[in-house]
Amino acid sequence: MINHKAGEKGRSMVETMGYMAVVMTVIVSIGKIVTNVFNEHKFSQASVQLGDLATAISKAGAVEKDYSDVNFSKFIPSTFRVSGNKIFHVFGGEVTVAKAGNDNTKFSIAFKGLRRKQCIELAMKDWRRNQNVDLYSVCINGSCLYWPVYGYDGGTPKGTLPVTRAMVTGITEQDKGLCSLDINNIVTWTFN
């Protein structure tokens, strides 16, 4: 005969483990949601940083004959982290701002040190409705895309703007797309 005490209360080991499994699942799910929201906020913030920087430089260049005399460092928005002569975007990589090669009528902004997902999202920023700056080209890890109206500066362009998801992610296992690196991707935007 099994001896039971009257009024015995409590949970069995199996019930306790079941409750713990449910609690752990809820905690992990909440953690994933918070991480996704935080990442989306950072993508949004990076897009705003890029737009604000391009707009500030474009406005400064509007009062000059070209960008040769524009001191780009004077127009860095406060949302960027600046350390010495270096500028850093929200993801922690370096930002460079310069004249576009030998062309004094254009300037470029490069976001360096991007992870693959960051590269994909930033490269796909839609510039078609932007009223502040005139995008000339986007170069992703050295492969450039141009608006059909501008043509290209030489060589064979990788494609035309706007950037599509298939261009940056690839369409097969072998084709990793333009954002092919896991880390250290570079996206460079050139503006008129």
Side-chain angles (χ1 to χ4, degrees):
M1 252 185 159
I2 300 178
N3 218 355
H4 290 292
K5 291 184 181 179
E8 189 175 298
K9 296 180 181 175
R11 303 277 184 243
S12 72
M13 179 79 78
V14 173
E15 287 175 318
T16 304
M17 289 178 65
Y19 292 137
M20 288 176 59
V22 169
V23 169
M24 293 297 280
T25 303
V26 169
I27 290 171
V28 168
S29 297
I30 290 171
K32 285 183 179 180
I33 290 170
V34 169
T35 299
N36 286 340
V37 168
F38 182 69
N39 285 339
E40 290 304 316
H41 170 71
K42 281 190 133 182
F43 287 123
S44 175
Q45 194 175 9
S47 181
V48 169
Q49 280 185 324
L50 174 61
D52 288 350
L53 179 57
T55 299
I57 293 171
S58 182
K59 285 180 180 178
V63 296
E64 302 289 338
K65 66 179 179 13
D66 57 30
Y67 293 102
S68 60
D69 295 329
V70 175
N71 181 355
F72 298 119
S73 63
K74 291 172 60 176
F75 302 100
I76 307 301
S78 61
T79 56
F80 287 89
R81 185 171 59 89
V82 179
S83 178
N85 292 332
K86 294 187 176 191
I87 308 161
F88 299 93
H89 54 72
V90 70
F91 297 116
E94 190 175 349
V95 177
T96 57
V97 183
K99 290 184 309 176
N102 294 326
D103 189 347
N104 291 335
T105 64
K106 296 176 181 63
F107 69 94
S108 65
I109 299 172
F111 275 35
K112 300 175 180 179
L114 298 170
R115 295 188 176 280
R116 181 171 163 80
K117 183 169 175 30
Q118 297 163 351
C119 174
I120 291 166
E121 295 301 322
L122 286 174
M124 290 185 58
K125 179 174 172 57
D126 189 1
W127 293 93
R128 291 176 287 187
R129 292 183 182 86
N130 191 300
Q131 297 177 3
N132 299 315
V133 293
D134 182 20
L135 181 69
Y136 176 75
S137 68
V138 176
C139 295
I140 305 156
N141 294 323
S143 295
C144 299
L145 302 111
Y146 299 84
W147 290 113
V149 68
Y150 293 133
Y152 54 95
D153 288 336
T156 304
K158 183 68 176 174
T160 58
L161 291 172
V163 176
T164 65
R165 188 160 294 276
M167 288 178 187
V168 290
T169 62
I171 51 177
T172 66
E173 272 302 310
Q174 293 76 27
D175 175 20
K176 299 284 188 191
L178 297 175
C179 292
S180 60
L181 306 173
D182 290 333
I183 56 174
N184 292 327
N185 289 283
I186 300 171
V187 180
T188 305
W189 298 267
T190 301
F191 302 92
N192 287 316

